[in-house]
Amino acid sequence: MNRFENINMINCGGMNCYILRCMSGDVLIDTGAEYFRDEIETWLLNYSVKLIVLTSGTSMNTQNAQYFSELYNAPIAVSEHDAPLLSGKTAPKMYRTNSIAAAAEKLGIHKNRDDRPITEADIILSDGMRLCDTDADVYMTSQAIGLDGHTRGTIGILDGTDLYCGDALSNVIKVGWPSYCQSPAAAKRTMKKIAALAPERIFFGFGEPVVKGDKAYNDFMNAYGV
């Protein structure tokens, strides 16, 4: 089996969006930055997007959410705690955890507030909720997993033994802390939660995916596993 067989990843300059395929329609996980919109839209020509899942309400995940929602008539799903962030008018206080965050600020990549189009959540996801239990036309048993820390309402999608963790973890320098946290204490608990889940593969909002047995995967498990 190919290490990343059946994985549909859109790499946008280190930021990743993913597509989960389903017979009845596909799920877009995160929507990337506005300046990658054309590239993402080109990728999506091969898919039938019926649901958009935002792993958090921060800017890098949501800038294209309203556009793709209208383009595909696909509802937007996000956690209750992050739904208020979608307007771009408010943002939690975030703490830097590594040098990557500092460099992003100097380049103007990270902003706490922005002028993106106002986006409204159509579906509120809760911990353990299955995507097939939403109003979207997708028939899959994938479920939302609460992964707070990056933001209070950060979620991941557990699809079989694969975990799409959004920005709950990053794999920029090594697998571990997200570059920004609303709550470092919660982020650390989440890292231990992910280690306890022991997914076969982990897919990040930032950085290359890892597979069980990879050195980066093993280092993370050794650091945060029970």
Side-chain angles (χ1 to χ4, degrees), residues 53-109:
V53 172
L54 303 177
T55 58
S56 77
T58 54
S59 175
M60 290 294 101
N61 296 334
T62 65
Q63 285 184 18
N64 294 311
Q66 188 67 30
Y67 176 82
F68 287 132
S69 176
E70 293 175 358
L71 182 65
Y72 298 109
N73 193 28
I76 297 169
V78 70
S79 72
E80 177 182 6
H81 291 302
D82 275 27
L85 304 182
L86 299 187
S87 68
K89 305 301 182 182
T90 184
K93 183 176 181 180
M94 306 288 274
Y95 300 92
R96 294 186 313 209
T97 65
N98 57 39
S99 59
I100 299 297
E105 287 182 2
K106 288 182 179 179
L107 293 172
I109 294 174

Side-chain angles (χ1 to χ4, degrees), residues 133-156:
D133 292 333
T134 69
D135 292 331
D137 187 22
V138 291
Y139 298 98
M140 51 175 56
T141 57
S142 307
Q143 62 177 314
I145 301 292
L147 300 175
D148 65 319
H150 169 62
T151 60
R152 186 180 179 193
T154 295
I155 58 169

